[in-house]
Amino acid sequence: MVPGEENQLVPKEDVFWRCRQNIFDEMKKKFLQIENAAEEPRVLCIIQDTTNSKTVNERITLNLPASTPVRKLFEDVANKVGYINGTFDLTWGNGVNTADTAPLDHTSDKSLLDANFEAGKKNFLHLTDKDGEQPQMLEDSSNVDDSVHDRFIGPLPREGSVASTSDYASQSYSYSSILNKSETGYVGLVNQAMTCYLNSLLQTLFMTPEFRNALYKWEFEESEEDPVTSIPYQLQRLFVLLQTSKKRAIETTDVTRSFGWDSSEAWQQHDVQELCRVMFDALEQKWKQTEQADLINELYQGKLKDYVRCLECGYEGWRIDTYLDIPLVIRPYGSSQAFASVEEALHAFIQPEILDGPNQYFCERCKKKCDARKGLRFLHFPYLLTLQLKRFDFDYTTMHRIKLNDRMSFPEELDMSTFIDIEDEKSPQTESCTDSGAENEGSCHSDQMSNDFSTDDAVDEGICLESSTGSEKISKPGLEKNSLMYELFSVMVHSGSAAGGHYYACIKSFSDDQWYSFNDQHVSRITQEDIKKTHGGSSGSRGYYSSAFASSTNAYMLIYRLKDPARNAKFLEVDEYPEHIKNLVQKERELEEQEKRQREIERNTCKIKLFCLHPVKQVMMENKLEVHKDKTLKEAVEMAYKMMDLEDVIPLDCCRLVKYDEFHDYLERSYEGEEDTPMGLLLGGVKSTYMFDLLLETRKPDQIFQSYKPGEVMVKVHVVDLKAETVAAPVTVRAYLNQTVAEFKQLISKATHLPADSMRIVLERCYNDLRLLSMPSKTLKAEGFFRSNKVFVESSETVDHQATFTDSHLWKLLDRHANTIRLFVLLPEQSPGSYSKRTAYQKAGGDSGNVDDDCERVKGPAGNLKSVDAILEESTEKLKSLSLQQQQDGDNGDSSKSTETSDFENIESPLNERGSSTSVDNRELEQHIQTSDPENFQSEERSDSDVNNDRSTSSVDSDILSSSHSSDTLCNADSTQIPLANGLDSHSITSSRRTKANEGKKETWDTAEEDSGTDSEYDESGKSRGEMQYMYFKADPYTADEGSGEGHKWLMVHVDKRITLAAFKQHLEPFVGVLSSHFKVFRVYTSNQEFETVRLNETLSSFSDDNKITIRLGRALKKGEYRVKVCQLLVNEQEPCKFLLDAVFAKGMTVRQSKEELIPQLREQCGLDLSIDRFRLRKKTWKNPGTVFLDYHIYEEDINISSNWEVFLEVLDGVEKMKSMSQLAILTRRWRPSEMKLDPFQELVLESNSVDELREKLSEISGIPLEDIEFAKGRGTFPCDISVLDIHQDLDWNPKVSTLNVWPLYICDDGAVIFYRDKTEEVMELTDEQRNELMKKESSRLQKTGHRVTYSPRKEKALKIYLDGAPNKDVAQD
């Protein structure tokens, strides 16, 4: 029992059930709410932001309940895109309600359903400008409420994040964001790409009153200097814009252009301190002989003494140095703890060190080495004190640059009086001022002693340089100390790592003592608490690795100003400007107003794609129409009419603009009766991009324009004539998707005058997807019609209507129409064939009805002429017997298919029809083929290639052919072995270089044997594969256009692209005049490059309409043959690889046989007269020589061979030393350190892979004692070039191995490069002049051979400012 109400005891069970019931009631209520919400229809809104080109491709999707008010929709959109609600409009897009162009009311309480939104469908909306003004961006929270503690002054946070500190890599902005000035009153600077470091420094200089006022007082003389290259003038212009511009941010391109920088400099990251020094130097140079000549020194220059004092006699040597900034170490070298504050780092900066032990100082007075104290003393602090916190360091453990993120605090006010002329541990020996006075100034051995430091300076600063009383030494420093209080006004912050990051500046305005963050184009107020966040570091102990976990956003440069009411200046007011600055302000205001007016014009100009089908040339032209939104449609038509240059073609009243979808080739709507409507209203407002285009439609004077209404679909209707087997040009018909097929037939009947009762309509839904519309009551939408459609109609009353669609004549004709392409074929000039028309033909027993009336038929065996099949079979047998005739002394072969008549006379020619005889005697050609030696085909191929050499092609086919474009055309192959000219049978056995472990079939794919003979033109029965299926082919003579090969013989071929290349070549035989195995097909690409098409079993599906093909005579490869590129290996030449020729190697051929065939070709084509034992062949892997091929090696059995194979031909100096596969041929080169040169290559043939044998052979050829031999393997591509300045230390000399085939050598094959040297030979000592000369010579040599001089990573580009604006004039000084 438990206490209940009124202190009564209630059973525990009752309490349990009561709680349980309450839970169930709550759950039921929740479920009911969910159920009601689920039952309520929802509205899917897809909003496209068209106000900016960067956001136009982005979509915002909202799925809202249908009861949502319109004003809530605007609020949700504003939150999504980051715009202020009420500064943008929402209008209907293309999806629905396209006729309603009025924007939605953002204050309306109507529900989405009441506002014509459709539930369950996509509702497309466009987010557009409001009243011509772009939407306003939501400001950062720090700009709205200064009391918010979590505001951030650094890089802008990413979307969806708060106070992100790692967004320095994302500096994108929209143009609209720089149009309105920040509420702070200050103007930002646009980041060109990586110029944040520049922006930070420029804003700091602008916020420095003394610098800005002095810059304004300088007057630019245009007669003396070009304003574009004048750095002070461009800075002056920039400062004027920063002070007077109404923009949020301005560009810095004019300033960087005055530096002599190009656009690439904007992508270079640099150090802000480095930029400060370089810019100050440039300004000093520009301000010479002016009032501002000493401005930088007056504001930023301080002085310090670098001294060394003997601890025995008190003698002090010193020099005076000037500085513009003080570099402060964050963490002492070797220490794991950083300095806690700037004051601590300053004390360390001037802390002297003791020189003792080996570091003792040689005292001039003592004439011996003595212990000494060395240090720095500040003599004078500048008016503007710059402190650089050295956060970038080098980690000698990882050998990488690092950034130190340790905490280092800095005060808002810094008292520098404690750091002026400090001497600790004074002794009688060091108190005497005469020891450090003028007498000793001449005794200073430093060459860098300042000559401009005088006693007058010393008196002003209270520094004792001459003998004086003690009171003088004390009183004058005291005067200085009373006035050395500095106030902080600029903190330049770096966020990131040593590899890269982002700079921004925190600057205090001297006008209102308020701190501001200048982060590129964004300026915002900040507080002192935000400044403290830039101290860096993290909570917890400051261990060695603490900076790795600290914030990467911290102060890098601090600038303090001396608190001196007499010198502290205020910014010049506008009425205090010099006259030339007032003129400049007026000029810049006028330019800004002019830019604003131009921008207003741009913002009110509609830019949309314009298309026009030229009424005469019938070519679709494209342009961009730019028309003001207030221009009427009539005026826009006139502009488009002139833009398309139609004045002399058709009258203006025969043109109109219509809404057009270029992607679907769809006319969306016409604009009847809206000639006076503004274009802005017609196009839905001014947008950066439109979802539709415009078409300038034309008509003939006797025609009228058709009306296009929204919602209609466009149908291109092709009329099919079954008897003539033709497909007519399209007729355009417009219909509605809710119309039935029967109603659609009536529309087509009116347009084509075909009877609707017998009409068949075929819809092509996508490529070659034909669908017969057989259901009259079905709607077009149900049949799959879309915005733009294509149909074929036929209305003949034939038995073809009774056949199933896929078996009908109509389907076959449409199938052929869809797959037929038009090709232009260039025939060889020496083609012996006549231009005979050859028609499509069919296999006996196939469908014989579908042929063109224009095509001539090849008569069958029943006629007087032989069939094409018989001619091809006879030609094939002749070619087969061609390679056998030298081998078959008594065998007659298969002569039953031979003929004495020409194979090509039996093809009926159009010329024969007119009673004229053929002009080419093909009998002579056939006899020439029969009596020719097989090698003649190769030589014929060579001569053809010689012609091609004038077209930058190789000696056989084309040097363009690469590994990705096979040149192995395989013809005339069947399943039997091919007896080759050398008497060897073909093989299909493959093996490795050193072993025969790879017994499997070689996986290449450009040879007939890998495809089991599928690349052959003929099948096993000897029948042509072109016979196997009906493929359409029609060829007609064609006259090429001017400049496209006029004067040559061209064919215009219409062919089914499903035909194989083998069948296509057979169809071309009558026009080329030779068998398909004796010509090659080259495809011509748009760049006029030609690549041979070699895959005979592949179709022409990769070809498209109007592709060009070139036919060249020459024997195509047979089964088992490979085309091989032969290059000469010249080991001691600057270019060791020289292309010689293309050759044909056959499977089963020995290396010696291939060398025998190469000898005459080398003599004729390359002028090389070699005997068979004077050269060798070896493997070529890119530029590297590899395995030496022995004469008895057999291709495909001992040597793997593939298409586009390459081999080296190496001329031997003597007898071939390589006799066995167990030997190893190595190329060696001696390095002579004492002479700084490399000897020529020498080949060594080793009997084993023993390192000892290598040493012995090296000792034998060089004369170096065996124990003094050191060697190293060459790196990279042959010839493994390396600079003689690097070879002695960069290579891995004398590896500790006993065999060559282990790490680090891995020498397992011929062709490895070995450098060797005599370890007792000393390296030549070089003077600086000799080294520089040798470096230039080596750099030139290695660049010519294509090898890099060094392998160091890319160096950072030095920051330079070019005073004359021309960087090319200063390159020599780099």
Side-chain angles (χ1 to χ4, degrees):
M1 304 290 286
V2 294
E5 292 181 357
E6 298 179 358
N7 296 324
Q8 294 180 0
L9 295 178
V10 182
K12 291 184 178 180
E13 292 79 2
D14 291 347
V15 175
F16 171 76
W17 288 109
R18 191 180 302 168
C19 294
R20 184 177 180 182
Q21 187 63 40
N22 291 337
I23 293 172
F24 281 157
D25 291 341
E26 289 294 327
M27 291 178 64
K28 186 177 180 180
K29 189 182 298 183
K30 292 286 185 184
F31 282 132
L32 285 174
Q33 292 177 356
I34 295 172
E35 187 177 353
N36 292 335
E39 290 177 356
E40 182 181 0
R42 301 187 73 83
V43 175
L44 180 63
C45 302
I46 300 175
I47 301 101
Q48 178 187 12
D49 186 355
T50 63
T51 61
N52 188 288
S53 60
K54 293 184 178 179
T55 61
V56 72
N57 292 323
E58 298 177 2
R59 301 288 188 275
I60 303 151
T61 303
L62 296 173
N63 193 5
L64 303 172
S67 59
T68 303
V70 174
R71 58 176 176 78
K72 183 67 169 61
L73 170 65
F74 274 84
E75 292 173 6
D76 291 347
V77 172
N79 291 333
K80 274 272 188 180
V81 298
Y83 293 153
I84 297 176
N85 192 11
T87 64
F88 61 88
D89 281 334
L90 292 179
T91 59
W92 290 107
N94 283 355
V96 291
N97 300 328
T98 53
D100 186 6
T101 58
L104 301 175
D105 184 5
H106 73 281
T107 61
S108 173
D109 287 325
K110 281 185 179 181
S111 68
L112 296 181
L113 279 183
D114 294 338
N116 297 326
F117 284 78
E118 296 186 43
K121 294 185 178 180
K122 296 179 180 178
N123 297 269
F124 292 92
L125 297 172
H126 285 169
L127 191 154
T128 62
D129 300 339
K130 188 177 182 65
D131 301 328
E133 294 291 334
Q134 287 199 331
Q136 297 180 19
M137 301 288 294
L138 286 171
E139 294 296 336
D140 191 52
S141 58
S142 62
N143 297 334
V144 180
D145 186 5
D146 285 340
S147 64
V148 180
H149 179 71
D150 290 333
R151 62 188 175 275
F152 183 63
I153 60 172
L156 294 179
R158 299 179 187 269
E159 182 180 355
S161 63
V162 179
S164 171
T165 62
S166 60
D167 198 30
Y168 59 85
S170 177
Q171 296 298 321
S172 62
Y173 64 94
S174 62
Y175 186 68
S176 61
S177 66
I178 67 172
L179 297 181
N180 302 316
K181 198 169 185 176
S182 167
E183 69 281 352
T184 62
Y186 291 103
V187 178
L189 294 175
V190 175
N191 191 335
Q192 297 182 36
M194 297 181 181
T195 56
C196 52
Y197 65 98
L198 173 66
N199 294 348
S200 302
L201 180 61
L202 291 176
Q203 291 284 19
T204 297
L205 295 178
F206 171 73
M207 296 294 287
T208 306
E210 293 78 8
F211 185 88
R212 190 204 299 183
N213 295 344
L215 182 65
Y216 281 175
K217 291 178 183 178
W218 175 81
E219 185 173 1
F220 173 69
E221 297 293 340
E222 193 166 354
S223 59
E224 298 179 1
E225 190 177 5
D226 183 2
V228 175
T229 60
S230 174
I231 298 174
Y233 176 68
Q234 293 302 333
L235 280 177
Q236 205 174 67
R237 283 188 62 237
L238 182 75
F239 282 14
V240 165
L241 288 174
L242 285 173
Q243 191 167 358
T244 63
S245 177
K246 297 178 181 179
K247 295 181 180 179
R248 177 181 292 271
I250 57 177
E251 300 278 352
T252 59
T253 49
D254 290 339
V255 174
T256 55
R257 191 178 295 112
S258 70
F259 291 171
W261 294 359
D262 56 21
S263 58
S264 65
E265 287 287 348
W267 295 92
Q268 295 287 334
Q269 291 186 346
H270 290 296
D271 185 276
V272 67
Q273 187 266 346
E274 180 186 11
L275 173 69
C276 186
R277 301 287 75 77
V278 174
M279 185 187 290
F280 283 175
D281 288 343
L283 287 173
E284 285 183 320
Q285 293 295 323
K286 288 287 186 178
W287 276 335
K288 282 183 177 179
Q289 311 300 323
T290 67
E291 183 183 343
Q292 289 75 22
D294 203 38
L295 174 66
I296 301 299
N297 292 337
E298 290 175 357
L299 295 179
Y300 295 94
Q301 182 176 280
K303 294 180 181 178
L304 54 78
K305 177 192 287 187
D306 186 353
Y307 68 92
V308 180
R309 171 172 292 184
C310 178
L311 294 180
E312 293 189 14
C313 67
Y315 173 81
E316 183 177 283
W318 51 267
R319 68 178 179 192
I320 304 300
D321 285 335
T322 59
Y323 62 89
L324 294 178
D325 56 51
I326 301 174
L328 298 181
V329 175
I330 297 290
R331 188 192 300 168
Y333 179 75
S335 173
S336 62
Q337 188 170 352
F339 293 122
S341 63
V342 163
E343 297 94 322
E344 190 176 328
L346 281 168
H347 279 291
F349 185 81
I350 59 176
Q351 179 68 31
E353 61 174 323
I354 301 299
L355 303 180
D356 55 5
N359 296 324
Q360 278 187 325
Y361 166 71
F362 185 84
C363 178
E364 292 288 342
R365 180 175 294 177
C366 300
K367 300 300 180 183
K368 66 173 183 176
K369 285 188 175 184
C370 305
D371 290 349
R373 179 185 291 113
K374 183 181 187 307
L376 300 171
R377 297 196 191 109
F378 288 114
L379 305 178
H380 165 62
F381 289 113
Y383 177 70
L384 298 173
L385 177 65
T386 305
L387 304 179
Q388 181 204 4
L389 309 184
K390 299 182 68 175
R391 292 197 174 273
F392 298 109
D393 204 351
F394 190 81
D395 189 343
Y396 288 95
T397 304
T398 62
M399 301 302 289
H400 285 93
R401 289 176 60 190
I402 59 172
K403 182 184 176 185
L404 303 176
N405 294 311
D406 300 83
R407 175 180 174 82
M408 177 177 277
S409 64
F410 45 87
E412 188 172 1
E413 291 191 351
L414 178 63
D415 185 4
M416 296 297 292
S417 60
T418 57
F419 304 103
I420 194 81
D421 194 22
I422 296 178
E423 291 187 68
D424 49 358
E425 297 182 6
K426 289 189 176 183
S427 62
Q429 290 87 352
T430 61
E431 280 185 357
S432 174
C433 190
T434 57
D435 290 343
S436 59
E439 177 184 347
N440 289 335
E441 184 175 348
S443 302
C444 180
H445 293 277
S446 173
D447 294 332
Q448 302 178 18
M449 184 190 302
S450 175
N451 294 324
D452 60 352
F453 186 80
S454 63
T455 55
D456 294 336
D457 293 327
V459 172
D460 291 341
E461 304 301 336
I463 305 300
C464 175
L465 295 180
E466 300 290 347
S467 298
S468 57
T469 64
S471 60
E472 288 177 325
K473 289 199 301 177
I474 297 173
S475 62
K476 291 185 178 179
L479 294 175
E480 175 78 8
K481 292 179 182 180
N482 293 332
S483 59
L484 288 181
M485 186 63 70
Y486 284 82
E487 61 176 328
L488 178 70
F489 79 96
S490 177
V491 180
M492 277 171 264
V493 182
H494 181 268
S495 175
S497 66
H502 176 62
Y503 284 100
Y504 60 93
C506 303
I507 306 173
K508 183 174 75 171
S509 171
F510 290 111
S511 302
D512 56 6
D513 287 337
Q514 171 65 45
W515 281 91
Y516 297 91
S517 169
F518 292 83
N519 190 349
D520 289 338
Q521 67 267 23
H522 304 283
V523 184
S524 58
R525 285 189 179 90
I526 55 175
T527 65
Q528 190 62 39
E529 289 299 316
D530 298 312
I531 300 298
K532 291 181 180 179
K533 294 179 183 178
T534 67
H535 289 179
S538 60
S539 59
S541 60
R542 290 180 294 155
Y544 183 78
Y545 293 102
S546 62
S547 69
F549 304 97
S551 170
S552 64
T553 302
N554 34 55
Y556 182 63
M557 274 185 69
L558 310 174
I559 300 184
Y560 287 82
R561 187 176 77 162
L562 183 67
K563 296 185 70 171
D564 185 355
R567 295 186 63 182
N568 295 157
K570 294 184 178 181
F571 296 113
L572 292 177
E573 299 297 333
V574 176
D575 55 352
E576 298 175 332
Y577 287 165
E579 194 62 32
H580 64 275
I581 295 296
K582 292 180 180 178
N583 296 335
L584 182 59
V585 170
Q586 183 63 27
K587 179 181 176 182
E588 294 300 331
R589 281 179 178 168
E590 291 174 358
L591 289 174
E592 191 167 308
E593 287 298 320
Q594 181 180 349
E595 182 185 349
K596 185 177 180 181
R597 288 194 297 270
Q598 184 63 32
R599 193 166 58 246
E600 279 300 314
I601 294 174
E602 289 289 325
R603 290 169 61 84
N604 292 311
T605 299
C606 303
K607 299 177 182 179
I608 188 170
K609 273 188 179 181
L610 176 66
F611 295 89
C612 177
L613 182 64
H614 197 281
V616 177
K617 300 178 182 178
Q618 292 298 305
V619 176
M620 184 65 81
M621 301 180 294
E622 181 182 347
N623 212 320
K624 193 169 189 177
L625 178 64
E626 298 185 3
V627 57
H628 195 275
K629 68 176 184 179
D630 296 331
K631 292 279 185 182
T632 64
L633 175 62
K634 185 177 180 181
E635 293 171 316
V637 171
E638 187 174 355
M639 292 174 60
Y641 175 74
K642 294 178 180 178
M643 186 179 293
M644 291 299 183
D645 295 325
L646 299 180
E647 290 96 331
D648 301 329
V649 181
I650 54 172
L652 176 61
D653 58 1
C654 291
C655 301
R656 71 169 179 176
L657 286 174
V658 296
K659 195 174 181 181
Y660 176 60
D661 180 357
E662 186 259 344
F663 180 78
H664 295 101
D665 192 19
Y666 168 59
L667 298 172
E668 293 193 21
R669 62 161 296 186
S670 53
Y671 300 103
E672 287 85 2
E674 300 187 68
E675 288 77 10
D676 296 326
T677 305
M679 289 298 292
L681 188 59
L682 284 179
L683 299 179
V686 180
K687 304 173 184 177
S688 57
T689 184
Y690 292 89
M691 304 302 293
F692 57 89
D693 312 303
L694 291 179
L695 174 72
L696 184 65
E697 191 179 20
T698 61
R699 63 173 174 86
K700 294 180 181 179
D702 57 343
Q703 293 178 331
I704 60 172
F705 283 120
Q706 183 182 353
S707 176
Y708 308 139
K709 298 179 181 178
E712 291 179 331
V713 295
M714 189 172 71
V715 185
K716 292 183 178 179
V717 180
H718 296 262
V719 177
V720 180
D721 188 339
L722 289 183
K723 292 182 180 179
E725 294 192 343
T726 58
V727 179
V731 176
T732 301
V733 174
R734 296 181 71 87
Y736 288 96
L737 289 175
N738 57 1
Q739 286 180 322
T740 63
V741 173
E743 293 170 338
F744 184 52
K745 284 184 178 181
Q746 296 297 329
L747 290 175
I748 295 177
S749 180
K750 291 179 182 179
T752 61
H753 307 292
L754 295 176
D757 298 337
S758 60
M759 184 182 295
R760 284 188 292 175
I761 303 178
V762 178
L763 171 64
E764 185 179 80
R765 292 187 296 184
C766 56
Y767 168 71
N768 210 21
D769 181 11
L770 303 174
R771 178 174 181 176
L772 180 66
L773 307 184
S774 57
M775 304 275 298
S777 60
K778 221 172 180 183
T779 64
L780 299 186
K781 183 175 182 180
E783 290 286 6
F785 278 70
F786 189 55
R787 309 178 80 181
S788 182
N789 310 272
K790 181 179 180 180
V791 299
F792 301 90
V793 298
E794 187 274 330
S795 194
S796 64
E797 302 208 3
T798 63
V799 295
D800 196 56
H801 283 247
Q802 301 172 3
T804 59
F805 178 56
T806 53
D807 295 331
S808 65
H809 189 185
L810 175 61
W811 184 88
K812 293 177 182 178
L813 185 61
L814 294 180
D815 180 66
R816 189 189 77 184
H817 173 77
N819 289 285
T820 299
I821 57 174
R822 182 176 64 179
L823 302 175
F824 294 100
V825 180
L826 176 62
L827 298 174
E829 293 182 5
Q830 62 272 40
S831 172
S834 61
Y835 285 102
S836 303
K837 274 194 176 182
R838 187 174 181 188
T839 185
Y841 64 95
Q842 295 172 295
K843 184 78 176 170
D847 185 3
S848 61
N850 303 332
V851 292
D852 282 13
D853 293 340
D854 297 336
C855 294
E856 298 297 329
R857 297 179 181 274
V858 179
K859 295 185 178 180
N864 296 327
L865 297 179
K866 293 182 179 180
S867 68
V868 176
D869 301 343
I871 295 173
L872 293 176
E873 287 181 3
E874 292 171 348
S875 303
T876 302
E877 292 306 318
K878 290 177 186 178
L879 262 177
K880 288 183 177 180
S881 63
L882 205 60
S883 61
L884 295 172
Q885 67 184 43
Q886 292 183 355
Q887 316 298 330
Q888 301 174 352
D889 297 329
D891 193 351
N892 293 330
D894 184 7
S895 59
S896 61
K897 297 181 181 179
S898 301
T899 179
E900 294 296 328
T901 60
S902 170
D903 294 333
F904 305 108
E905 290 176 353
N906 296 332
I907 300 177
E908 188 173 340
S909 168
L911 299 177
N912 293 338
E913 291 180 5
R914 299 186 182 95
S916 61
S917 60
T918 181
S919 60
V920 179
D921 189 358
N922 293 317
R923 183 187 303 274
E924 295 179 4
L925 171 69
E926 197 63 27
Q927 289 173 353
H928 172 71
I929 293 176
Q930 290 178 357
T931 58
S932 296
D933 185 81
E935 292 186 0
N936 289 342
F937 290 117
Q938 293 186 9
S939 61
E940 184 179 336
E941 189 176 352
R942 307 300 178 203
S943 63
D944 178 52
S945 302
D946 292 340
V947 177
N948 298 336
N949 284 338
D950 296 334
R951 302 170 65 176
S952 302
T953 56
S954 71
S955 61
V956 172
D957 301 313
S958 169
D959 200 28
I960 299 171
L961 296 175
S962 64
S963 60
S964 61
H965 293 87
S966 171
S967 59
D968 293 335
T969 307
L970 301 174
C971 301
N972 203 22
D974 55 26
S975 59
T976 60
Q977 292 183 350
I978 301 176
L980 304 174
N982 51 37
L984 295 171
D985 288 338
S986 60
H987 296 273
S988 59
I989 303 173
T990 59
S991 63
S992 169
R993 156 71 174 91
R994 293 293 176 187
T995 69
K996 294 188 179 181
N998 301 327
E999 296 281 335
K1001 183 175 285 289
K1002 181 167 61 68
E1003 294 182 4
T1004 58
W1005 49 280
D1006 272 341
T1007 57
E1009 54 270 49
E1010 280 77 39
D1011 293 332
S1012 302
T1014 55
D1015 267 14
S1016 172
E1017 292 187 38
Y1018 303 95
D1019 61 15
E1020 293 182 0
S1021 63
K1023 296 290 184 181
S1024 169
R1025 297 209 171 174
E1027 303 175 44
M1028 301 307 292
Q1029 56 179 331
Y1030 167 78
M1031 290 297 175
Y1032 180 74
F1033 180 95
K1034 179 184 175 182
D1036 295 293
Y1038 169 74
T1039 302
D1041 297 334
E1042 184 178 354
S1044 300
E1046 63 273 16
H1048 294 277
K1049 298 177 183 178
W1050 286 88
L1051 288 179
M1052 182 169 62
V1053 177
H1054 291 84
V1055 63
D1056 193 315
K1057 60 184 178 183
R1058 294 169 295 185
I1059 196 173
T1060 62
L1061 178 62
F1064 179 66
K1065 290 182 68 177
Q1066 291 178 21
H1067 282 295
L1068 288 176
E1069 282 179 351
F1071 307 100
V1072 181
V1074 297
L1075 298 180
S1076 60
S1077 58
H1078 287 76
F1079 66 85
K1080 295 175 283 187
V1081 177
F1082 287 83
R1083 183 172 180 177
V1084 183
Y1085 289 86
T1086 52
S1087 58
N1088 288 327
Q1089 285 186 316
E1090 297 180 357
F1091 294 97
E1092 186 180 356
T1093 305
V1094 298
R1095 302 279 299 177
L1096 294 177
N1097 62 324
E1098 288 187 355
T1099 66
L1100 303 185
S1101 57
S1102 63
F1103 288 76
S1104 56
D1105 273 330
D1106 298 337
N1107 278 172
K1108 292 181 181 180
I1109 288 175
T1110 300
I1111 303 296
R1112 291 190 185 151
L1113 296 180
R1115 181 174 69 81
L1117 295 179
K1118 299 177 183 179
K1119 183 176 180 179
E1121 291 185 337
Y1122 303 85
R1123 187 162 284 114
V1124 179
K1125 293 184 181 295
V1126 181
C1127 302
Q1128 186 176 3
L1129 177 63
L1130 304 165
V1131 293
N1132 285 309
E1133 295 294 330
Q1134 186 172 340
E1135 180 51 57
C1137 178
K1138 176 185 176 183
F1139 176 77
L1140 294 178
L1141 51 83
D1142 282 341
V1144 176
F1145 290 0
K1147 184 175 69 173
M1149 180 185 289
T1150 65
V1151 173
R1152 187 172 184 85
Q1153 287 169 337
S1154 63
K1155 288 166 66 176
E1156 289 173 350
E1157 291 193 7
L1158 282 175
I1159 287 174
Q1161 298 176 38
L1162 291 169
R1163 186 183 304 113
E1164 294 170 9
Q1165 299 182 33
C1166 308
L1168 290 176
D1169 192 3
L1170 301 172
S1171 64
I1172 195 167
D1173 295 325
R1174 280 292 311 280
F1175 70 96
R1176 65 159 65 132
L1177 298 180
R1178 65 190 305 169
K1179 183 179 179 181
K1180 179 178 183 289
T1181 306
W1182 194 32
K1183 294 183 179 181
N1184 298 310
T1187 307
V1188 175
F1189 300 147
L1190 306 182
D1191 284 352
Y1192 58 83
H1193 283 164
I1194 300 174
Y1195 296 116
E1196 283 289 20
E1197 185 173 333
D1198 301 307
I1199 301 169
N1200 289 332
I1201 188 170
S1202 60
S1203 61
N1204 281 332
W1205 202 45
E1206 294 183 349
V1207 297
F1208 269 129
L1209 182 149
E1210 184 179 10
V1211 179
L1212 300 174
D1213 295 330
V1215 181
E1216 175 64 82
K1217 299 178 182 178
M1218 289 290 291
K1219 304 294 183 182
S1220 169
M1221 295 287 288
S1222 62
Q1223 293 176 310
L1224 200 62
I1226 291 178
L1227 294 167
T1228 64
R1229 200 170 187 185
R1230 180 172 179 179
W1231 158 239
R1232 298 182 181 272
S1234 61
E1235 303 175 33
M1236 299 294 285
K1237 74 172 187 177
L1238 288 162
D1239 287 353
F1241 278 105
Q1242 287 182 282
E1243 185 180 74
L1244 283 183
V1245 177
L1246 305 179
E1247 300 299 328
S1248 66
N1249 60 2
S1250 168
V1251 171
D1252 292 338
E1253 183 184 359
L1254 173 62
R1255 291 178 180 276
E1256 291 172 1
K1257 291 287 181 71
L1258 291 175
S1259 177
E1260 182 180 329
I1261 63 173
S1262 64
I1264 302 174
L1266 186 62
E1267 61 274 11
D1268 295 333
I1269 290 282
E1270 287 186 337
F1271 71 91
K1273 183 184 177 182
R1275 297 173 180 169
T1277 307
F1278 185 83
C1280 307
D1281 264 328
I1282 186 172
S1283 171
V1284 296
L1285 295 170
D1286 302 329
I1287 187 173
H1288 202 72
Q1289 64 272 7
D1290 278 10
L1291 293 183
D1292 297 327
W1293 290 96
N1294 210 28
K1296 306 299 182 183
V1297 292
S1298 58
T1299 59
L1300 301 177
N1301 59 354
V1302 297
W1303 184 87
L1305 297 177
Y1306 287 127
I1307 299 177
C1308 305
D1309 200 359
D1310 303 328
V1313 173
I1314 291 292
F1315 294 97
Y1316 67 97
R1317 68 185 180 189
D1318 185 347
K1319 70 177 182 181
T1320 62
E1321 191 174 346
E1322 296 293 332
V1323 180
M1324 178 181 178
E1325 293 290 337
L1326 298 174
T1327 63
D1328 291 342
E1329 184 177 348
Q1330 289 175 324
R1331 180 173 292 276
N1332 291 335
E1333 186 66 29
L1334 188 57
M1335 189 179 298
K1336 291 179 182 178
K1337 188 185 297 183
E1338 285 295 283
S1339 177
S1340 175
R1341 178 179 70 87
L1342 295 177
Q1343 285 176 359
K1344 287 179 181 177
T1345 58
H1347 288 75
R1348 296 180 58 186
V1349 180
T1350 62
Y1351 297 91
S1352 60
R1354 181 180 65 86
K1355 295 182 178 179
E1356 294 181 6
K1357 188 174 180 181
L1359 189 151
K1360 298 193 70 174
I1361 292 179
Y1362 306 92
L1363 299 181
D1364 54 359
N1368 56 333
K1369 296 182 181 180
D1370 203 36
V1371 171
Q1373 301 175 15
D1374 287 345

